[in-house]
Amino acid sequence: MIKYFTLTMLFIPLSVSNIYSQVSSIAISGIIKDAAEDKVLPYVNVVLMNAKDSSFVSGSVSNDQGRFTIANISSSNYYLEISFVGYLTLRKEVFVGSLSDYLDLGTIELAENMQVLDEVIITAKQDEINNKLDVRTYSTQDNISQSGGSVLQSLQNLPGVSIDNGKVLLRGNEKVSALIDGKQTALTGFGSQSGLDNLPASAIERIEIINNPSSKFDANGNAGIINIILKKNKKEGFNGKVGLSGGLGALWLKKENLPSIRPQYQYTPKINPSLSLNYRKGKQNLFIQVNNLYTHTLNKNEFITRKYDNGDITKQQLKRNRNTNFFTSKAGVDWNFNEKNTLTVSGLFGSEKIIDRGDQPFFNEDLTSRRRLWQFLEDELKTTVMATASFQHKFSQPGRFLNIGLNYTFHREDEKYFFNNILQDYTGKDAFKLLSDEHVADLNVDYSKPLRYGKLETGLKLRRRNIPTNMQFFPGLNSPLDTNAGGWATYSEIIPAVYGNYLFENKKFEAEVGVRLEYVDLQYDVNPDHNTYKSDGYNYIQPFPNIRLGYKLNDQNKLSVSFNRRVDRPNEVDIRIFPKYDDAEIIKVGNPALRPQFTTALELGYKRNWRNGYLYSALYHRTGKGTITRILSSVSDDNMIYAIFQNAGKSLNSGIEIIMGQDMTKMYSMNLNINVYYNQINAFSVKNLYPVPNTFSAVQQKVYSGNIKLNNQFHFTKKLDAQISLVYLAPDIIPQGKIGSRFSLDVGIKKSVQNGKGEFFINGTDLLNTMRIKKEIIAENFNYKSADYYETQVIRIGYLYKF
């Protein structure tokens, strides 16, 4: 056993493809011709046999054009037996891989004399969304312990994923791009991952994790991609789903408030009704989905001790009671003009209303004197409207597609912030208002063609993005607001890109080679009266290649190596020039001089399958240049801290990931994920302009960290399932500091009722109430330690009915 384990671990340096979402249903096709006259042969019998025992698998007959198609074939070795009156029967070896769902054998010739034909090799690849070799797919229905919550909560139990202060990290890296149905949208942030904590999981069919995206995807997101697939039904007739879930969070106080502030939220309610309707008849398919997630949340409850070099010590608390209502609706129609042409038109509307009521007291070291009390009300409304039209043409060759898509998105951010700045001698009443409108237009053209030994994908994309923003300040008595930093700014972006991707597969070797050529022209125009920043921008034209080579040792073992290059462009909020006052003494400001971060990644791995289980192991390394990070500095005597994004220089992220899944018995299966990595940010020195020019220097930071996740699935009967999930996150580094370890236990039970039409669930997240965030920050003139006892424990109950 020890020897076997040792041999297995030796293969860990090599990455594997597609553990969770290999293509399982494949269609093969070809054209049958007369060898002598080169004419097509209709009505030829084609039979598919298993190569091992010559058992019948499936069959077909060629049509008037001589083309045949055999669908719903799984990956294996086969042979075709082709027979026709007047021609000799032909037997042809066929290998069906796992990388493509459409495989073309090309032309097959029948003649008077038997011809020995070369072996036909058939490639594989996923559908238009799941076409990556490193895709892992997770059904939200199977994640019982997180049912009824948000997408962000559903992600925290998935292998290779961790959540840090509301951000998703893949293998310890937060540079993640979130997509919806394979597209960047304002709901999740263009090129970022905002909004995941408010998007209800009930609207989601499945979640895909893509660590090494191909050139078909946008180059943004060096850590990888999270692709969220919305629910959509295509059953004949009228059908749908209706669901309702509710819950309570913050069931007890983790830590009492500091004196003299309003109570923190307890017994916070959650409610999530959902509805999905579909009507399909003839050539039309109509669909609509509506979801609403309403929650009260103790969003933040952070206790901080700050120590300055001048000897001053401040103890403070930042408590934020949040009310959120996130409504999403999507409706559309699929119009099948004929077997070859389909048009889909859809619209999406999303409304996110957030009300934050917060308190932030500041005390001396022994809590005998309150220096300041900051009480605030944040009223924010985010509105998203998206219109999409997509056309697909299917050629006569199965698997050959042309897709054309047009997408327009409007997103408005309307934020009002009111605060009372209460000091010993006076009370100031201040406010500001931010209005930001985002307009995004996308044109996508994608072409896919199966080949005899592979598959070719190519396409282009054109994006035009414009974001005018306006900030107004309303100062009160002795206001801390920097009123001269208000005004307007406009973010403009044009990105044309072209890509090509080729896949090859035979019995032993796999290859995927592609490149995306991307041009970016970004301009950030600033109000000329701004007291610090001026208009800025950048442009570049860069190639983003991807290469993956695989070798199959046998049917159970596989080795692979992959390389890609990606970019993280600054988001609009990263360069937004207006100071954000959501903390009395920590001011966040963007930086128009921020530049893209380019990253190269190398991954090596090994995969082993056995009966009812598998082992996946990967050794990965990423090197980033121009690393984007937020830095904290203090440059004045008033103890104010300024948080500003900068390009920090070079960073490294290396690690090893192991995932093992096993069906132990008919009743119990498990999935174990171990991820250990090394993070390093090299020493750097930058110049900050806000609030006054100053130079900031940081020493090198490095740490070994990781996480362990164990998901236990129990299948007691056909109608009763349960899940127990344990998550441990080891200490890690953050900009200028470190974050402590965290642990949680999630439990869920699901029962099928009403002959499978109904489903009832109950679950609890962070059941032991142990998940909390502890940080330590060391800067040039100060350091602070904090512990955030925000709400993590939630008990939910829900019901879903299918009709």
Side-chain angles (χ1 to χ4, degrees):
M1 186 68 182
I2 294 175
K3 180 179 179 182
Y4 176 80
F5 180 79
T6 304
L7 289 174
T8 302
M9 293 302 290
L10 287 175
F11 281 110
I12 280 175
L14 300 163
S15 149
V16 59
S17 77
N18 237 5
I19 300 176
Y20 297 94
S21 61
Q22 304 237 2
V23 176
S24 59
S25 180
I26 301 159
I28 64 176
S29 67
I31 296 178
I32 302 174
K33 290 186 176 183
D34 183 293
E37 300 183 15
D38 194 32
K39 64 179 181 180
V40 298
L41 297 176
Y43 315 118
V44 177
N45 293 314
V46 182
V47 177
L48 186 69
M49 305 265 190
N50 194 305
K52 290 183 179 181
D53 54 13
S54 298
S55 59
F56 174 83
V57 177
S58 186
S60 181
V61 177
S62 63
N63 61 18
D64 292 342
Q65 288 77 42
R67 180 171 291 280
F68 71 90
T69 301
I70 302 177
N72 300 320
I73 306 301
S74 59
S75 175
S76 187
N77 291 303
Y78 302 96
Y79 67 84
L80 284 174
E81 192 170 272
I82 304 168
S83 59
F84 190 53
V85 175
Y87 292 82
L88 294 178
T89 298
L90 176 66
R91 176 175 286 195
K92 191 177 194 61
E93 292 184 1
V94 175
F95 167 68
V96 177
S98 59
L99 303 183
S100 177
D101 46 7
Y102 286 99
L103 314 170
D104 189 6
L105 301 179
T107 300
I108 300 174
E109 297 178 334
L110 296 182
E112 293 285 337
N113 298 316
M114 180 66 69
Q115 292 186 352
V116 179
L117 300 181
D118 292 338
E119 175 187 357
V120 177
I121 309 301
I122 304 179
T123 68
K125 192 163 169 75
Q126 309 243 6
D127 58 22
E128 294 303 319
I129 302 299
N130 299 331
N131 70 340
K132 293 318 303 164
L133 300 170
D134 284 343
V135 176
R136 307 177 205 163
T137 300
Y138 305 89
S139 170
T140 54
Q141 184 178 359
D142 295 334
N143 197 359
I144 306 172
S145 64
Q146 294 293 341
S147 297
S150 69
V151 172
L152 185 70
Q153 291 161 344
S154 293
L155 285 166
Q156 66 185 6
N157 288 341
L158 303 187
V161 181
S162 57
I163 308 299
D164 177 20
N165 203 22
K167 284 194 172 184
V168 179
L169 282 71
L170 292 180
R171 296 173 173 175
N173 190 328
E174 69 176 34
K175 303 300 182 182
V176 179
S177 181
L179 311 179
I180 292 184
D181 291 337
K183 301 179 180 66
Q184 294 180 336
T185 74
L187 283 179
T188 55
F190 285 93
S192 67
Q193 47 167 292
S194 62
L196 294 179
D197 197 25
N198 295 319
L199 188 62
S202 59
I204 307 304
E205 181 69 28
R206 64 184 185 273
I207 298 172
E208 298 173 342
I209 307 298
I210 311 173
N211 288 113
N212 293 290
S214 78
S215 59
K216 184 176 180 178
F217 289 92
D218 289 300
N220 210 51
N222 74 71
I225 289 173
I226 296 171
N227 189 24
I228 300 165
I229 308 299
L230 298 178
K231 290 180 178 178
K232 184 179 179 182
N233 204 346
K234 289 190 176 183
K235 291 182 180 179
E236 193 69 28
F238 179 75
N239 51 84
K241 300 176 183 178
V242 59
L244 177 65
S245 65
L248 289 175
L251 301 181
W252 68 71
L253 291 176
K254 291 184 180 180
K255 187 175 177 63
E256 295 283 350
N257 283 339
L258 294 183
S260 71
I261 68 171
R262 294 171 292 187
Q264 56 185 270
Y265 267 175
Q266 275 192 279
Y267 304 105
T268 53
K270 329 281 180 183
I271 185 167
N272 176 209
S274 62
L275 176 67
S276 175
L277 299 175
N278 186 83
Y279 179 72
R280 182 180 183 183
K281 185 176 181 180
K283 295 182 178 181
Q284 291 82 37
N285 179 66
L286 304 174
F287 58 89
I288 182 171
Q289 296 99 34
V290 180
N291 279 270
N292 195 82
L293 180 62
Y294 176 78
T295 66
H296 286 192
T297 309
L298 181 58
N299 178 259
K300 199 172 191 64
N301 193 25
E302 187 175 24
F303 292 79
I304 300 172
T305 299
R306 281 191 285 161
K307 296 182 179 180
Y308 291 86
D309 292 350
N310 60 12
D312 185 44
I313 296 177
T314 299
K315 287 191 173 182
Q316 64 185 81
Q317 177 188 359
L318 176 56
K319 182 217 68 189
R320 184 184 296 139
N321 293 332
R322 171 168 290 185
N323 297 0
T324 303
N325 192 83
F326 193 88
F327 173 83
T328 58
S329 62
K330 183 179 181 180
V333 57
D334 301 315
W335 191 291
N336 300 304
F337 298 106
N338 48 50
E339 293 182 354
K340 294 184 178 180
N341 297 287
T342 302
L343 175 67
T344 298
V345 178
S346 65
L348 183 147
F349 174 79
S351 175
E352 181 182 0
K353 178 69 172 180
I354 300 174
I355 298 290
D356 280 341
R357 295 178 176 87
D359 298 81
Q360 190 176 26
F362 297 80
F363 286 86
N364 60 354
E365 184 178 8
D366 59 7
L367 302 178
T368 57
S369 174
R370 193 185 76 190
R371 299 172 177 176
R372 180 205 298 257
L373 174 60
W374 179 282
Q375 291 185 323
F376 61 86
L377 169 66
E378 185 173 5
D379 183 346
E380 186 172 9
L381 176 63
K382 296 181 181 179
T383 305
T384 302
V385 179
M386 185 165 64
T388 301
S390 60
F391 171 78
Q392 182 181 78
H393 174 71
K394 299 179 181 179
F395 294 86
S396 58
Q397 177 189 16
R400 186 179 176 190
F401 299 102
L402 174 65
N403 294 295
I404 302 174
L406 290 170
N407 185 82
Y408 171 75
T409 300
F410 170 77
H411 179 73
R412 167 164 287 184
E413 180 183 351
D414 187 352
E415 180 183 0
K416 306 178 193 66
Y417 193 98
F418 309 90
F419 63 87
N420 295 330
N421 186 25
I422 304 170
L423 287 90
Q424 294 179 352
D425 299 330
Y426 67 90
T427 296
K429 295 182 178 293
D430 301 77
F432 62 79
K433 175 180 173 61
L434 175 71
L435 185 65
S436 175
D437 288 342
E438 184 170 15
H439 306 266
V440 186
D442 285 332
L443 168 65
N444 294 273
V445 179
D446 300 287
Y447 174 75
S448 174
K449 176 180 172 60
L451 304 172
R452 181 180 295 271
Y453 296 102
K455 185 176 183 178
L456 176 67
E457 296 175 316
T458 186
L460 60 87
K461 179 176 181 177
L462 177 63
R463 164 167 292 167
R464 178 72 171 87
R465 189 178 179 204
N466 184 263
I467 311 175
T469 304
N470 190 278
M471 171 72 88
Q472 294 177 279
F473 290 115
F474 305 96
L477 180 65
N478 297 321
S479 175
L481 295 173
D482 184 357
T483 56
N484 292 323
W488 61 265
T490 301
Y491 177 103
S492 300
E493 181 182 70
I494 297 177
I495 308 178
V498 295
Y499 74 90
N501 204 47
Y502 172 70
L503 286 98
F504 169 86
E505 182 181 18
N506 63 22
K507 288 183 179 180
K508 286 293 184 182
F509 294 98
E510 295 176 1
E512 180 185 27
V513 180
V515 65
R516 186 179 189 90
L517 188 65
E518 181 180 82
Y519 172 75
V520 172
D521 186 359
L522 186 145
Q523 181 65 34
Y524 192 67
D525 294 321
V526 174
N527 171 17
D529 296 328
H530 194 276
N531 58 4
T532 301
Y533 292 117
K534 305 300 179 185
S535 296
D536 209 330
Y538 62 84
N539 62 76
Y540 67 76
I541 182 168
Q542 291 279 342
F544 297 96
N546 65 281
I547 301 171
R548 196 192 74 85
L549 303 174
Y551 179 70
K552 304 170 188 176
L553 298 172
N554 50 45
D555 290 342
Q556 290 78 38
N557 295 275
K558 186 175 177 180
L559 307 176
S560 169
V561 58
S562 63
F563 167 85
N564 67 25
R565 182 174 187 261
R566 297 185 64 77
V567 65
D568 279 280
R569 297 183 297 272
N571 296 309
E572 186 269 336
V573 294
D574 298 340
I575 65 178
R576 186 178 287 178
I577 59 174
F578 309 118
K580 185 172 178 59
Y581 297 85
D582 54 3
D583 186 295
E585 296 184 3
I586 300 180
I587 309 300
K588 297 178 181 178
V589 187
N591 178 9
L594 206 59
R595 294 298 182 258
Q597 169 184 335
F598 294 94
T599 303
T600 56
L602 178 66
E603 184 168 319
L604 307 167
Y606 167 73
K607 178 189 178 184
R608 175 176 174 82
N609 292 320
W610 57 80
R611 184 176 181 181
N612 299 326
Y614 64 87
L615 171 70
Y616 161 80
S617 56
L619 180 67
Y620 56 90
H621 174 76
R622 285 181 169 84
T623 301
K625 294 183 178 180
T627 303
I628 297 175
T629 184
R630 190 186 288 273
I631 62 173
L632 303 179
S633 62
S634 178
V635 295
S636 60
D637 295 332
D638 58 6
N639 289 344
M640 295 292 290
I641 298 172
Y642 297 90
I644 303 174
F645 277 108
Q646 288 284 5
N647 293 105
K650 189 175 181 180
S651 61
L652 305 174
N653 171 232
S654 304
I656 183 171
E657 181 178 27
I658 300 173
I659 303 176
M660 186 179 73
Q662 181 68 49
D663 295 334
M664 310 298 289
T665 67
K666 291 183 178 180
M667 291 182 56
Y668 171 66
S669 62
M670 53 80 68
N671 179 283
L672 176 65
N673 172 220
I674 301 174
N675 184 32
V676 179
Y677 55 86
Y678 170 79
N679 274 346
Q680 176 179 311
I681 301 176
N682 287 356
F684 65 95
S685 180
V686 295
K687 186 175 181 179
N688 291 328
L689 297 181
Y690 193 87
V692 294
N694 64 93
T695 299
F696 174 84
S697 298
V699 299
Q700 184 189 80
Q701 290 180 271
K702 56 185 179 180
V703 72
Y704 290 94
S705 186
N707 52 70
I708 301 175
K709 296 184 180 182
L710 177 62
N711 286 312
N712 303 275
Q713 301 281 351
F714 300 90
H715 185 63
F716 298 114
T717 67
K718 291 183 178 180
K719 297 183 178 181
L720 183 62
D721 297 278
Q723 179 183 11
I724 299 176
S725 300
L726 298 98
V727 179
Y728 171 76
L729 306 177
D732 203 350
I733 60 171
I734 55 177
Q736 299 173 254
K738 58 186 179 180
I739 186 171
S741 61
R742 288 144 288 163
F743 168 78
S744 71
L745 170 68
D746 302 337
V747 177
I749 298 175
K750 178 175 69 175
K751 181 175 176 56
S752 177
V753 295
Q754 298 168 296
N755 296 321
K757 291 186 176 182
E759 183 179 284
F760 171 83
F761 73 84
I762 183 171
N763 60 40
T765 60
D766 191 22
L767 206 58
L768 303 179
N769 215 21
T770 53
M771 183 66 75
R772 60 202 61 178
I773 298 176
K774 294 185 177 182
K775 296 181 181 179
E776 182 176 356
I777 300 293
I778 300 176
E780 287 185 320
N781 302 320
F782 68 95
N783 65 79
Y784 78 76
K785 294 182 179 181
S786 71
D788 193 351
Y789 299 90
Y790 68 109
E791 174 189 312
T792 56
Q793 185 188 64
V794 179
I795 306 297
R796 297 186 183 89
I797 186 171
Y799 172 77
L800 176 69
Y801 180 75
K802 305 174 185 178
F803 56 89

